[in-house]
Structures are given as C-alpha cells and as structure tokens.
Amino acid sequence: MKNVFLGVLIGACSFAGATARAQNSVTLYGVADAGFDFLSQVQTGVGTTASRLRAESSDFGASRFGLLGKEDLGGALAVIFNLESGTNLMSGTAGSSGGRLFSRKALVGLNSEQYGRLQMGRNLFIANDQWDADPMVQQAYSSTALVRSRNVPITSNNIEYQSPSIGGFSAHVQYALGNQAGAFNSGATGEAGRSDGVQLTYKNSLFMLRGMYDELRDSSGRMSNVFTSSREFFVGANLYVNAFTLQAAYTHLSAPDTPAGLARSADHYWLGGQYRPTPALTLNGAVYYIHVGSGAGDATHDPSGHATMFATGATYSLSKRTLLYATVAHVRNASGSNFSVVNNNPGLNNDNLDNPLPGRSQTGGYIGINHSF
C-alpha cells in the first residue's frame, strides 16, 4: 500500500508540474501543523486521572495535502476535481484515514461562474460550514468540543451544489447516499447512512447571517445519538466592526431514534469574537454552553446535564502562509457530565480516556506552528 501511495503522489506531482504551465492546472497544496499540548484530568485508570504533555499535530488546523485540478471548458465553465488526505506530522501516518488514500476529499464536478458548483464524491459534511461563525474557527478547542465533533464529520457518496453569491445571498445543498441494497437509509459498516443538509447565507461588509438544517444518520439509517447521528438546526451571525468581529450562534440537536430512556436532544450556544490589533496579530475568545435534555446516558450516549467552556487564543502571522498560535481552554461540567475541551466521543466508554471524570473540570492548552503551501 505504501509503494502504491508513493507512486500515486510522485506521479501526481510530476503531472502537476507539467500541466501547471498549460492553460489548465493541477495544484499540489497542503497544511503542515505541529506543536505541543497540555491536558489536565486525563483518565489513567478506574477513577484516577493525571495531566499530560505531548507533541501533537493538527491542534490549530488539520494537517493535510491535496491535489486541486481545473480544466477550462470555455464560457466561464470548468471541470474541477479535489483529492485531499489528512496526515499526522508527529508520526507520519495518515490522519483518521480508515484505510482511505484520500480520507478528507475525493470529488469531481463542474464549476460555473454564473450558475455555481455541482460536485460529487467524498467531502466534508455540510455542518463543517459553521467554522467561520466560530470565534475559535473550529480548531481543537472550539465549537466542536461540546458537541463531540457533531459539526465536523466527513461523508462519502455526496452530491452537492453551491450557488454563487447573488446580492449577498448564497446557498449550499448536500445529499449523501448510503449505497446499500434494500436499505436506502443505511450505510456500509462504519460509514454514515443517508445524510443531507441545506444552508442559506447572507453576507455583506457589515454582517453575516447563516441558517442550516441537516440530518446525519448512522450506518443503520437511524438518528440514534444526539452527538453522532441526529438532526441539526443551526443559526449563526457575525458582526464586522472595524478590527472586531463579534460572533454568536445557536444549535439544536435531536435524535428521534435514540433508545428509550436515553437523552435525545441538546442545545448548544456560543458567544465571542476576534480582534485584529495589527495585520499580523489576531486575538480571539469565546464562551460555549451545552445543555443535554432529559434522559439517562450509557457507554456511548451522554446523559442529561450541562457544561460551559471558556476558550481564548492568539495567532501571529510570520508571512502570508505561516503563523504561530497559542490557545487555552477550560470546561466546567455539571454533576454527571464529562465534556472535554477536546472533541472526544460521547458516553462513559472506557476508551474515552481524554474525557474527565463526570462532574470534573478540565483545562487544556497548546502552542504550535501552522504552514500552508
């Protein structure tokens, strides 16, 4: 597999160099992100915890590389493709690949300057579009933490359309097939079932408003866990005032197929902003709050409860492509809740060791460097 992978990459880079000089193009791009992080209240056994300091990749942004291609068909119409794989800089391994050569994106489509973009393949699920309404821009400690990664999944078999901006308005629609015979809503083992979403955005120089509805199903075609397979209603707003960006959002999650007696709804709020005192320096901070509705929990479901997370950070750009970053966060859990500053799995499963013990607070921080190429 390694030799095949290297052969594909070397061949693609050679092709990129040859075609970049022609009218059409293939571009090799990526992000390299590495640093150190600290996390308190990491579980080390039954009822015991300790702090951890480690070297880590992708705290600020996912380390990745990809190929972006375009063939001009004339009349402002082009064929496009995008292949993108995650990677872990500390180990040199593929990041959460599940055996995929291109784990994050593998798609092809048509792009029209007048009519928008239609594309098919594997891609970030539509919920990822919340990133620019998040003061912490969906880095490791951000809006992803208290919803257990519900707003950053990746789905296969997508068909999606993104409109151009018309008078400040734009739309994004996505539909992911499960591809299973005799079970239209189901997906392959370990994959999402049929999932879909629609998003509307209005943006001008003063503010942005965004509304979104999506459905993420499990491999059985059910919405059975509020943080992994559920319905989502999202509304977010940005206000741009000189060097300040003020940001607020609300999300309601519901999982109607959750087993009886377990919590099946949650409400997530955040408020914060960004401040750019100089072109190179950005300061950001936010408060996030989650409330899980009535019901019990188990190994993979969170029980009724609530938590509040405070996060703040800074980035300093050394150039257009390289920045230094530092972020700290603290989460306070109500009795029975075990939310982390990191977007770990829900429930009391003993594999979720980065979650604090129920009712405990947790503090984390990281520093690093992020380079785009």
Side-chain angles (χ1 to χ4, degrees), residues 30-104:
V31 173
D33 184 296
F36 300 92
D37 65 27
F38 168 85
L39 189 64
S40 72
Q41 296 293 323
V42 176
Q43 297 183 54
T44 56
V46 178
T48 62
T49 63
S51 297
R52 180 186 67 202
L53 177 66
R54 67 180 179 181
E56 181 67 348
S57 175
S58 305
D59 276 331
F60 182 81
S63 293
R64 57 195 184 271
F65 69 90
L67 296 168
L68 185 65
K70 178 182 179 180
E71 180 189 12
D72 188 359
L73 300 179
L77 180 66
V79 175
I80 56 170
F81 76 84
N82 194 184
L83 304 173
E84 185 176 287
S85 179
T87 186
N88 186 319
L89 293 192
M90 294 303 170
S91 63
T93 57
S96 303
S97 68
R100 296 180 176 90
L101 181 60
F102 296 104
S103 56
R104 290 173 55 86

Side-chain angles (χ1 to χ4, degrees), residues 345-361:
N345 293 328
L348 296 175
N349 190 316
N350 289 330
D351 289 337
N352 299 339
L353 297 180
D354 283 1
N355 288 329
L357 293 170
R360 297 279 186 89
S361 297

Side-chain angles (χ1 to χ4, degrees), residues 92-147:
T93 57
S96 303
S97 68
R100 296 180 176 90
L101 181 60
F102 296 104
S103 56
R104 290 173 55 86
K105 295 182 181 180
L107 54 90
V108 64
L110 293 170
N111 184 67
S112 166
E113 295 180 10
Q114 183 177 2
Y115 298 109
R117 176 178 299 183
L118 178 66
Q119 56 194 23
M120 297 177 289
R122 181 171 174 82
N123 200 3
L124 307 181
F125 188 57
I126 194 170
N128 285 264
D129 286 353
Q130 297 174 21
W131 74 271
D132 58 351
D134 179 6
M136 306 304 291
V137 292
Q138 287 191 343
Q139 54 183 289
Y141 305 162
S142 67
S143 66
T144 67
L146 300 188
V147 293

